[in-house]
Amino acid sequence: MCKKIVLIAFILILVGCSSSKSVSGTTKSGNSKYNKTNSTPNKNSQSNSRALVTSDLVNGYVFHYKDIAMSNMKKYGIPASIILAQGILESGSGQSNLAVTANNHFGIKCYTDWKGETIHQDDDSAQECFRKYKNPEESFQDHADILSKRNRYASLFNLKKGDYKAWARGLKAAGYATDPNYPEKLIGYIERFHLDQYDNMVLGKDYVLDENQYVKPKPKVVSNTNSNQYIVAKGDTLYSISKKFNIAIEDLKRQNNLNDNAISIGQSILIQK
């Protein structure tokens, strides 16, 4: 009887040791896989962290920063359309992590000459150093300083101030971004949201809706008994119109059968309250 008890105890000890080895081995393997995964930069980490950019966000961003962009165009010669398009693209219309936490609207990295605050996040490599600003205005100023003072961008200033397509391609050629589609993305934002109108405002030109017609609309409201019609003027966005008449953007879109926030100079917008 005693022999049987000893034998059973011996078997239980063996089973317990085997289970312990199995658990230990699994844990080690799991940690090794975890460390390997996290030591390699996620190529999609930057795009995954960017906020969803809607037409409302873009129009709001343009409305907020267009004056700074035009001021920098006057002072430094950088097209306002390019400044705004880069800000929209690089910062997700001000919604990206870098813009929110560091007021960095242009994806500007530290480089060796930066003495201010910094923030680190994954980009082309893991945990790259980016500049941190006190406010977005500092970011716009630093962007202008970099483009106007660094030799690598000197050729841009031989281009026409109103030629946003040449500037977009020139930025890529000068090495501002690694994305091969960077120029097309900037041009797409400029043309969809009519950002070149701000270039023309600085240059004193009428905004061109097409290559054969110059338009000089006068903002006016035509009233009738039931509703108003607002004629879109230079610089107007659906966002600014909604604020002007204290009406929600979604209500404006519904009343005018608009699929997005794109509007053009001379367009009639129905205002119903």
Side-chain angles (χ1 to χ4, degrees), residues 175-190:
Y176 191 97
T178 57
D179 184 353
N181 298 317
Y182 194 75
E184 287 70 26
K185 290 178 180 179
L186 293 182
I187 293 169
Y189 275 122
I190 291 170

Side-chain angles (χ1 to χ4, degrees), residues 25-39:
T26 303
T27 303
K28 183 176 181 181
S29 174
N31 285 339
S32 175
K33 184 176 181 181
Y34 177 86
N35 291 335
K36 182 177 180 181
T37 301
N38 285 273
S39 65

Side-chain angles (χ1 to χ4, degrees), residues 55-71:
S55 294
D56 286 349
L57 284 175
V58 173
N59 284 321
Y61 187 89
V62 172
F63 180 78
H64 195 75
Y65 295 111
K66 60 183 176 62
D67 291 334
I68 296 176
M70 287 190 289
S71 176

Side-chain angles (χ1 to χ4, degrees), residues 8-9 58 60 74 105 107 128 138-139 150 161 211 213 241:
I8 291 170
V58 173
K74 292 175 183 177
H105 284 232
E128 291 195 78
E138 283 192 359
S139 178
R150 291 195 175 178
K161 292 180 181 179
E211 295 184 1
Q213 183 179 13
I241 295 172

